[in-house]
């Protein structure tokens, strides 16, 4: 019976391009490193890139039609690692096919799209790419807070920077500055940052925000063409959690790679803790370092190997938990309901910045 529950779980990744894809540096190495998972298939935009990806990544099969991969009975988990505007159609097709789905964050272009995908989930397993909360140091920080070791949480200061979304960007990323895409500094870097705050301090119940466009014109690197920015490249948030702790968060785009930093400093009545990283891509991508005035057990070793690239660490934690859920019939992986809550939280920040009025955050049913 034990052997039957530990079956090999076959993953198909949509968006596993060999050139500059996020899947290349996170999903693929994590899947290939973790026991019990197999990269069964990859799907990209065309036959040549799909064939190249399968060969480079060691996948069993390749598809130039992602919907054909979704229908493949030999796939257990469909991973959607493509641009946000394409999420809805692919996710709904995968759920219709009865597959477990791991989708990058944000789940959809809007709260309405996220709600639609949640409603289509039923009892299927889902995972959302809010992987920062599963980082071992973040999990240990959450335990320090929940155990009361630093006392009552009083306040927190968060600085969240990224080199992305700055005054110059590749042509392929131009959609990041267009409002209709649903993919921008607030929904991506902001969503990841706020999710990590909630992982450590609990649910955010209200926000007061300011958003600014500091570089209204963006230069597209390959062509030199100038494009008009429609979304903020700086967001400042003052918020409050259900525990009563206040926090401030600055989310800043366009930082020079060597200057990027992320820090969460939590002050409690009996001590403090901090989480820090300096990965140029932002908090969700790299490993984090935990410090505190109180004693704590070292964070657990990541699920992926010691020699694995840093970009695969947090994604590997999601796959490891999702595999356990599939084998044990549990639902502990942050999934589409958490994604919907994150979308509503981000939307509250956007409304507050736009209207200049403090916003309450609607609680999402669990």
């Amino acid at each position: 019976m034990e052997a039957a529950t530990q079956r090999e779980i076959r993953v198909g990744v949509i968006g596993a391009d060999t050139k500059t894809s996020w899947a290349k540096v996170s999903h693929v190495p994590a899947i290939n490193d973790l026991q019990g998972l197999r990269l069964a298939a990859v799907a990209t935009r065309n036959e040549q890139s799909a064939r190249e990806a399968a060969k480079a990544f060691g996948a069993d099969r390749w598809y130039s039609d992602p919907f054909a991969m979704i229908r493949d009975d030999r796939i257990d988990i469909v991973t959607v690692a493509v641009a946000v505007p394409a999420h809805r159609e692919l996710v709904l097709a995968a759920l219709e096919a009865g597959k477990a789905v791991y989708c990058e964050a944000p789940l959809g272009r809007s709260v309405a799209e996220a709600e639609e995908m949640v409603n289509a989930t039923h009892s299927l397993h889902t995972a959302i790419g809010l992987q920062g909360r599963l980082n071992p140091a973040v999990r240990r920080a959450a335990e320090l807070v929940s155990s009361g070791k630093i006392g009552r949480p009083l306040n927190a200061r968060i600085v969240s920077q990224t080199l992305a979304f700055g005054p110059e960007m590749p042509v392929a990323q131009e959609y990041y500055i267009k409002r209709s895409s649903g993919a921008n500094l607030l929904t991506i870097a902001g969503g990841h940052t706020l999710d990590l705050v909630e992982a450590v301090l609990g649910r955010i119940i209200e926000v007061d925000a300011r958003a600014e466009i500091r570089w209204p014109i963006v230069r597209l690197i390959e062509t030199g063409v100038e494009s008009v920015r429609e979304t903020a490249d700086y967001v400042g948030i003052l918020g409050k959690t259900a525990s009563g702790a206040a926090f401030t968060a600055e989310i800043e785009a366009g930082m020079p790679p060597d200057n990027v930093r992320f820090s969460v400093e939590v002050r409690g009545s009996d001590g403090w803790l901090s989480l820090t990283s300096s990965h140029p891509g932002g908090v969700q991508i790299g490993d984090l370092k935990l410090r505190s005035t109180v004693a704590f057990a070292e964070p657990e070793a990541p699920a992926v190997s010691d020699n694995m690239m840093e970009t695969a660490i947090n994604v590997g934690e999601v796959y490891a938990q999702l595999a356990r859920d599939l084998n044990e019939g549990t639902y502990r992986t942050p999934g589409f309901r958490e994604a919907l809550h994150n979308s509503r939280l981000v939307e509250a920040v956007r409304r507050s910045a736009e209207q200049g009025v403090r916003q309450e955050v609607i609680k999402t049913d669990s």
Side-chain angles (χ1 to χ4, degrees):
M1 184 67 179
E2 178 66 18
T5 63
Q6 299 303 317
R7 62 186 176 86
E8 187 174 63
I9 296 171
R10 301 158 299 184
V11 186
V13 179
I14 304 171
D17 193 281
T18 58
K19 294 180 174 63
T20 58
S21 67
W22 168 239
K24 172 185 176 180
V25 297
S26 60
H27 291 276
V28 169
I31 294 164
N32 284 335
D33 186 69
L34 291 168
Q35 249 187 336
L37 290 179
R38 181 173 184 82
L39 183 61
V42 293
T44 67
R45 290 185 297 271
N46 62 65
E47 182 176 326
Q48 182 180 346
S49 66
R51 192 188 296 269
E52 289 173 354
K55 182 178 180 181
F57 301 144
D60 297 338
R61 296 176 299 286
W62 56 267
Y63 292 88
S64 56
D65 176 6
F67 296 98
M69 191 196 80
I70 285 170
R71 293 190 296 269
D72 188 340
D73 291 336
R74 296 166 293 180
I75 302 294
D76 302 306
I77 299 173
V78 172
T79 292
V80 178
V82 294
V84 176
H87 285 186
R88 175 186 172 274
E89 188 178 19
L90 294 167
V91 166
L92 290 177
L95 294 172
E96 177 67 24
K99 303 298 174 67
V101 184
Y102 181 168
C103 183
E104 276 301 331
L107 180 56
R109 288 175 292 184
S110 63
V111 171
E113 281 196 358
E115 287 175 339
E116 183 181 10
M117 285 179 266
V118 167
N119 290 336
T121 301
H122 305 298
S123 62
L124 294 169
H125 285 84
T126 60
I128 186 64
L130 293 169
Q131 66 269 11
R133 68 162 45 230
L134 290 184
N135 179 274
V138 175
R139 297 202 306 264
R140 185 69 78 226
E143 290 172 6
L144 278 180
V145 172
S146 63
S147 68
K149 286 187 176 179
I150 66 168
R152 179 169 61 90
L154 301 175
N155 58 276
R157 292 183 296 178
I158 298 97
V159 174
S160 183
Q161 300 173 335
T162 175
L163 65 77
F165 313 104
E168 295 185 335
M169 61 180 54
V171 171
Q173 294 179 7
E174 184 182 8
Y175 79 104
Y176 281 152
I177 63 173
K178 302 305 179 184
R179 193 176 296 111
S180 61
S181 75
N184 52 63
L185 177 72
L186 176 56
T187 63
I188 298 176
H192 283 290
T193 301
L194 294 171
D195 187 67
L196 193 143
V197 171
E198 291 197 311
V200 176
L201 289 174
R203 191 172 69 86
I204 295 169
I205 59 173
E206 62 182 36
V207 291
D208 205 339
R210 178 97 185 208
E212 297 290 342
I213 294 178
R214 301 170 302 171
W215 295 296
I217 301 298
V218 174
R219 179 181 174 276
L220 302 180
I221 295 169
E222 298 93 332
T223 63
V225 170
E226 293 184 336
S227 185
V228 176
R229 183 188 299 273
E230 300 174 358
T231 58
D233 51 33
Y234 171 89
V235 182
I237 304 167
L238 173 64
K240 183 179 180 180
T241 68
S243 67
F247 71 89
T248 60
E250 280 195 293
I251 301 155
E252 189 172 2
M255 292 296 294
D258 294 341
N259 294 349
V260 172
R261 71 187 181 100
F262 174 83
S263 66
V264 174
E265 300 174 358
V266 179
R267 182 188 172 199
S269 56
D270 299 325
W272 60 263
L273 66 80
S274 71
L275 287 162
T276 56
S277 79
S278 58
H279 194 285
V283 55
Q284 73 276 17
I285 294 177
D287 201 5
L288 290 104
K289 175 70 175 178
L290 173 63
R291 297 179 179 86
S292 180
T293 52
V294 302
F296 62 90
E298 280 297 308
E300 297 172 358
V304 296
S305 304
D306 290 343
N307 61 353
M308 186 56 55
M309 60 184 75
E310 190 179 9
T311 43
I313 290 175
N314 299 336
V315 169
E317 296 299 310
V318 179
Y319 277 111
Q321 183 58 64
L322 181 56
R324 286 192 292 269
D325 282 346
L326 288 168
N327 282 317
E328 299 169 11
T330 52
Y331 292 86
R332 298 190 184 98
T333 310
F336 286 4
R337 290 193 178 280
E338 287 79 8
L340 174 57
H341 169 73
N342 190 255
S343 293
R344 287 173 173 163
L345 176 54
V346 165
E347 176 63 14
V349 172
R350 189 199 62 77
R351 281 198 315 270
S352 177
E354 193 174 84
Q355 300 172 14
V357 178
R358 183 178 299 173
Q359 300 287 319
E360 290 187 4
V361 181
I362 300 171
K363 184 177 182 181
T364 302
D365 295 334
S366 57

